[in-house]
Amino acid sequence: MAGVRALGLLSRLTVRQRYSLFSDASRRNFSVASSLMARTHVNYEIKGDVAVIHINDPTSKVNTLSVHMQKEMTEIMDEIWANNAITSAVVISSKPGCFVAGADINMIQACKSTEEVTNLSQEGQKMFEKIEKSPKPIIAAINGSCLGGGLELAIACQYRVATKNKKTVLGTPEVLLGLLPGAGGTQRLPKMVGLPGAFDMMLTGRNIRADKAKKMGLVHQLVDTLGPGLKSPEERTIEYLEEIAVDCARGIVNKKIPLAKEKNMMQKIQDYIMSYPFVRNQIYSTVQKKVMKQTKGLYPAPLKIIECVKAGVEQGLDAGYLAESQNFGKLAMTSESRALIGLYHGQVACKKNRFGAPKKDVKTLAILGAGLMGAGIAQVSVDKGINTILKDTTLEGLNRGQQQVYKGLNDKTKKKSITSFERDSILSSLTGQLDYSGFQKADMVIEAVFEDIAIKHKVLKEVEAVTPPECIFASNTSALPIKDIAAASTRPEKVVGMHYFSPVDKMQLLEIITTDKTSKDTTASAVAVGLKQGKIIIVVGDGPGFYTTRCLAPMLAEAVRVLQEGVDPKKLDSLTTGFGFPVGAATLADEVGIDVAAHVAEDLGKAFGSRFGGGNPELLKTMVEKGFKGRKSGKGCYLYQPGLKHKDVNPELEEILELYKMTPNPAVSSDSDVQYRLVSRFVNEAVLCLQEGILANPVEGDIGAVFGLGFPPCLGGPFRFVDTFGADKLVEKMRRFEEVYGNQFTPCPLLLDHAKDPSKKFHK
């Protein structure tokens, strides 16, 4: 979703007046025209017969296509076309690491109706169509992110040159915001890269590196990046890119560089095959089925993308452009798009340190426990250049942990994300050991040992005996209150919770937990480390289960009850994924670990009493006794076999379920009822966490639920779900369930407040 950025307040750049030198042979312009004094986002200079258009939004770290930028771009293009001394143009960004990162979301959100958004789309289409049909060749010089509207601008140009910079990526991430490429992208991409390639780009939103973009036909020429010199590598690279692009522009005008590339035999065969309507219809049908299978029809944008492409290919460009603009307008007004855009803004907010800069940077990090979590934390730390010590109590455990880190980095090498030299260089920052040597230099220690308060107290005391007084102690516990862990500390202000999610290198969320004694500087340091590790961060208050585990536990308790009532694991998974969860409830229990779920259920049951009840926790204990611990043991609700994606229900689970069988109440057992029983317990607990001050705000609640627990992204998180679905309707459902099951479904006071007053919203 990094394809778009919010604009801040408009500011102005001081622009120098243009001075020109004329001769019979040449005309050179050293700066910008005096008439451009008011332009802030787009300017141009003339180099001989080539106009070089510089894009630079002064209000943001990245360039976005705003109304302001489009207006200035249109003015400049009109001037270039009217100037007979200019034969071609180059479009380039002055910002390092960013060409154009997409459309301005605020511009879209400011629209109050479908018609307004449709009009925005049509204006963009007209501007890019003018560029596409330009009588003077226009070259896009790409360095950094070229996403969304930025890519639509680039593919409207006649020629594209891109740097081999790792930051140079091309993509159409609009689908991740519940939108579609709305400025001609759905019409140009299929012509450029073929139907399958275009669908892959637009329906996944994935970024494409420059080298792959060239193979696909998105880019014509690649340019090497330059190292440091009198200027920074970025500045030198941008200047070199500009030189190459200007040469290309002249080459195209002089007919030395052909715009139309000769198609090879394979491409000609592909074009011939694609000329048959039944082949194209087969592609549309296959893609639609795949989309429905993956999204369950809960995300309208992918289906609208298919519709727009089909309209353009089968009925012509006019029909395609019309379908694109109209569908863009409709999608922008959907609850799904608002939810996804809300999550995007939430991510941006959670990637900032609201506690300020820490007094001291964490340069050496020590991790206790080389298990799955400890090794995962080590991997994301060394990968970002943090010197890391990984300590375990056994050589076997340490070797396994170090091997896990190596495998994670080696997988990146196989995918060509990093070279083998870079992999080995990263690994050189990792030190594996069985003792506390070197801990006297540690700035932070993260413990990832077993969930036992006695063990955590033991390692805390050992760590404080060998580390400097300013060293931070962070616990990766998933449920034990941090204040209980800090009770054994001589410096509780330095104790904080850092709850990572498994697998650490894949899961984006980090939940940081503070007690009333944790200092602000300790919190700032924990957030700074998490941000360096590339995490999205929520900071929550202390308490049993914190926020995420506390929301998940009642839902899993309800899932156990549903299993006891006779719903088999596959049906339970189907009901939860059908509501929008990426992973079904039974599969999730296996992934978390049945033993972990049983342990957490017991701990939180003691803390919160009958309200956290549901299914019989003895069922989970019986599964653990039989060795059914989930994926890690090969058996849980399902059977797991190495190398096989398909999984069958564990036949021995049926015997256990028979022992704990419950008779379902028909009044609350329909498929829809089961879905809302699961979801309402999750949502009610989330709202209660906000009410009790565990959560600082609804935004972090939504981000934590979606990125840590897989709450349906199309719903935007529990708080946006309440706003959209209606607190009154949710309370009405919960009251029905409460009549049957008691206080587990009693709505919390804050939810009741919102139900009584529809004007109350968690998100403005």
Side-chain angles (χ1 to χ4, degrees):
M1 297 182 187
V4 276
R5 291 287 186 275
L7 288 173
L9 294 171
L10 289 175
S11 63
R12 293 189 178 275
L13 285 179
T14 304
V15 184
R16 292 175 298 163
Q17 189 166 345
R18 181 189 70 182
Y19 295 93
S20 303
L21 293 177
F22 298 93
S23 71
D24 292 333
S26 65
R27 169 179 177 145
R28 181 169 294 175
N29 296 267
F30 288 102
S31 193
V32 292
S34 56
S35 61
L36 308 188
M37 288 291 284
R39 289 193 187 128
T40 56
H41 290 58
V42 189
N43 277 303
Y44 75 101
E45 59 182 327
I46 303 169
K47 294 195 172 182
D49 53 354
V50 181
V52 180
I53 303 164
H54 293 278
I55 302 173
N56 189 10
D57 180 349
T59 67
S60 174
K61 288 181 180 178
V62 296
N63 294 319
T64 55
L65 287 179
S66 59
V67 172
H68 194 94
M69 186 176 284
Q70 287 181 48
K71 178 177 172 288
E72 292 185 357
M73 179 71 81
T74 303
E75 286 173 5
I76 283 173
M77 292 313 303
D78 287 341
E79 287 176 24
I80 288 169
W81 287 322
N83 189 337
N84 293 330
I86 298 172
T87 60
S88 57
V90 167
V91 180
I92 191 167
S93 166
S94 300
K95 285 190 187 295
C98 176
F99 177 68
V100 176
D104 173 16
I105 292 186
N106 291 343
M107 172 180 74
I108 297 165
Q109 287 187 294
C111 296
K112 303 296 181 192
S113 67
T114 299
E115 291 72 28
E116 275 186 76
V117 186
T118 296
N119 186 56
L120 272 183
S121 171
Q122 289 171 344
E123 289 302 313
Q125 287 175 348
K126 286 173 191 171
M127 183 175 80
F128 290 160
E129 192 173 15
K130 271 185 169 183
I131 289 172
E132 184 181 42
K133 293 178 178 176
S134 170
K136 301 175 181 183
I138 302 170
I139 290 78
I142 303 163
N143 179 56
S145 50
C146 175
L147 303 169
L151 181 63
E152 290 180 290
L153 166 61
I155 62 175
C157 296
Q158 284 73 29
Y159 200 82
R160 287 160 296 285
V161 184
T163 59
K164 294 178 185 177
N165 191 334
K166 280 186 179 179
K167 291 181 181 177
T168 298
V169 288
L170 296 85
T172 50
E174 290 90 343
V175 71
L176 302 176
L177 296 172
L179 299 168
L180 53 75
T186 64
Q187 306 306 301
R188 289 190 185 91
L189 266 181
K191 291 179 184 176
M192 202 165 282
V193 299
L195 273 181
F199 278 136
D200 182 62
M201 283 183 71
M202 290 188 282
L203 296 175
T204 64
R206 68 165 61 102
N207 290 342
I208 292 164
R209 292 198 302 262
D211 54 348
K212 188 180 177 185
K214 186 174 185 297
K215 288 176 187 173
M216 290 174 67
L218 272 178
V219 169
H220 296 86
Q221 188 174 331
L222 297 179
V223 176
D224 288 317
T225 54
L226 300 185
L230 292 174
K231 296 181 180 178
S232 70
E234 278 285 5
E235 285 178 299
R236 292 189 70 217
T237 297
I238 291 172
E239 286 178 3
Y240 180 51
L241 172 65
E242 185 180 308
E243 286 173 27
I244 297 292
V246 168
D247 287 344
C248 288
R250 291 191 179 118
I252 292 166
V253 171
N254 298 332
K255 310 292 184 188
K256 290 179 181 177
I257 297 176
L259 283 175
K261 189 181 175 185
E262 183 67 30
K263 292 187 177 182
N264 60 35
M265 183 57 72
M266 188 58 72
Q267 288 169 322
K268 288 177 181 176
I269 292 169
Q270 188 177 326
D271 286 351
Y272 177 72
I273 293 169
M274 293 301 294
S275 67
Y276 287 96
F278 77 87
V279 174
R280 297 195 300 274
N281 286 330
Q282 185 62 41
I283 290 173
Y284 302 138
S285 174
T286 302
V287 170
Q288 182 146 345
K289 284 175 186 171
K290 196 171 181 181
V291 164
M292 288 302 293
K293 185 181 178 183
Q294 290 181 346
T295 69
K296 310 286 191 265
L298 297 170
Y299 295 82
L303 298 173
K304 293 296 183 187
I305 288 170
I306 297 168
E307 187 183 306
C308 293
V309 171
K310 189 174 181 180
V313 173
E314 306 303 330
Q315 298 169 45
L317 268 179
D318 288 346
Y321 278 131
L322 183 62
E324 181 183 88
S325 61
Q326 289 180 341
N327 282 325
F328 188 77
K330 289 174 187 173
L331 288 172
M333 294 293 124
T334 61
S335 62
E336 292 83 3
S337 180
R338 282 195 292 271
L340 293 169
I341 289 173
L343 287 174
Y344 165 74
H345 285 311
Q347 280 186 85
V348 172
C350 291
K351 284 184 176 177
K352 293 175 181 173
N353 195 338
R354 60 184 168 94
F355 298 90
K359 292 173 187 173
K360 184 183 177 188
D361 289 339
V362 172
K363 291 179 180 173
T364 300
L365 174 70
I367 297 162
L368 301 180
L372 192 68
M373 295 303 291
I377 298 166
Q379 183 187 325
V380 297
S381 302
V382 292
D383 198 20
K384 295 298 188 293
I386 302 172
N387 287 321
T388 305
I389 298 169
L390 182 62
K391 180 192 176 297
D392 204 85
T393 53
T394 68
L395 189 59
E396 183 189 3
L398 183 62
N399 288 340
R400 192 165 52 241
Q402 287 180 301
Q403 187 58 35
Q404 183 186 320
V405 177
Y406 174 82
K407 184 183 179 300
L409 293 170
N410 198 46
D411 286 346
K412 284 189 168 187
T413 307
K414 288 177 183 175
K415 292 175 184 174
K416 297 184 178 178
S417 299
I418 58 173
T419 64
S420 56
F421 175 78
E422 286 171 323
R423 176 201 65 203
D424 295 341
S425 177
I426 291 166
L427 282 167
S428 69
S429 297
L430 180 68
T431 305
Q433 58 191 53
L434 299 173
D435 58 21
Y436 284 105
S437 60
F439 272 61
Q440 70 274 12
K441 293 180 182 176
D443 301 305
M444 176 184 279
V445 176
I446 301 175
E447 67 80 9
V449 300
F450 190 68
E451 286 284 87
D452 183 304
I453 194 76
I455 296 173
K456 292 190 187 289
H457 280 171
K458 179 176 178 287
V459 297
L460 172 56
K461 288 172 182 174
E462 288 173 356
V463 165
E464 289 191 345
V466 294
T467 54
E470 65 274 11
C471 180
I472 294 163
F473 183 89
S475 173
N476 178 47
T477 178
S478 57
L480 295 174
I482 302 302
K483 67 176 174 59
D484 292 353
I485 295 169
S489 174
T490 57
R491 41 189 195 240
E493 75 283 356
K494 289 291 179 183
V495 179
V496 69
M498 291 178 76
H499 177 204
Y500 292 84
F501 294 77
S502 183
V504 181
D505 62 318
K506 303 270 192 313
M507 295 294 283
Q508 292 174 277
L509 190 76
L510 170 60
E511 181 180 32
I512 290 174
I513 308 102
T514 62
T515 71
D516 54 357
K517 291 181 180 175
T518 306
S519 72
K520 184 182 175 184
D521 186 61
T522 297
T523 309
S525 290
V527 173
V529 168
L531 290 174
K532 194 165 186 182
Q533 291 168 336
K535 297 296 179 184
I536 298 168
I537 293 167
I538 63 169
V539 180
V540 303
D542 192 24
F546 322 127
Y547 170 63
T548 53
T549 305
R550 187 171 155 182
C551 289
L552 184 62
M555 189 177 99
L556 287 181
E558 195 60 32
V560 172
R561 175 155 52 199
V562 169
L563 289 171
Q564 288 180 248
E565 288 179 347
V567 175
D568 73 83
K570 285 207 168 177
K571 176 71 183 289
L572 176 59
D573 275 356
S574 174
L575 290 174
T576 37
T577 56
F579 201 84
F581 285 87
V583 178
T587 300
L588 181 62
D590 275 358
E591 294 291 343
V592 168
I594 303 298
D595 54 337
V596 175
H599 186 72
V600 169
E602 187 176 1
D603 284 351
L604 295 186
K606 288 175 186 173
F608 296 107
S610 61
R611 192 170 63 77
F612 262 57
N616 191 336
E618 292 301 316
L619 187 153
L620 296 176
K621 288 181 183 176
T622 305
M623 288 179 71
V624 174
E625 285 167 12
K626 288 185 176 287
F628 305 157
K629 296 181 182 179
R631 179 183 284 277
K632 60 188 172 189
S633 67
K635 287 183 180 181
C637 294
Y638 295 98
L639 298 176
Y640 297 90
Q641 292 173 290
L644 284 182
K645 284 189 177 180
H646 174 77
K647 56 187 191 290
D648 293 313
V649 173
N650 181 359
E652 295 173 82
L653 176 65
E654 292 174 24
E655 298 170 21
I656 299 172
L657 289 173
E658 192 62 37
L659 288 174
Y660 297 97
K661 191 174 181 181
M662 292 171 67
T663 304
N665 186 320
V668 289
S669 297
S670 69
D671 286 356
S672 176
D673 283 334
V674 170
Q675 287 175 324
Y676 279 101
R677 278 164 55 189
L678 293 164
V679 172
S680 64
R681 292 196 65 182
F682 185 120
V683 172
N684 190 49
E685 205 59 41
V687 176
L688 187 54
C689 283
L690 181 66
Q691 178 186 309
E692 293 177 357
I694 296 291
L695 279 174
N697 53 66
V699 171
E700 291 194 8
D702 283 343
I703 291 295
V706 172
F707 290 95
L709 304 173
F711 192 89
C714 59
L715 301 177
F719 295 96
R720 195 166 291 277
F721 168 70
V722 173
D723 284 351
T724 306
F725 183 73
D728 54 341
K729 282 164 54 178
L730 185 62
V731 165
E732 187 183 331
K733 285 183 179 291
M734 291 183 73
R735 291 299 192 199
R736 269 203 310 122
F737 305 147
E738 187 184 25
E739 287 176 15
V740 177
Y741 298 114
N743 68 340
Q744 290 145 23
F745 286 97
T746 302
C748 71
L750 183 57
L751 187 61
L752 289 173
D753 286 347
H754 280 245
K756 289 171 189 169
D757 184 357
S759 68
K760 284 187 177 179
K761 299 288 180 186
F762 291 110
H763 295 282
K764 292 178 183 177

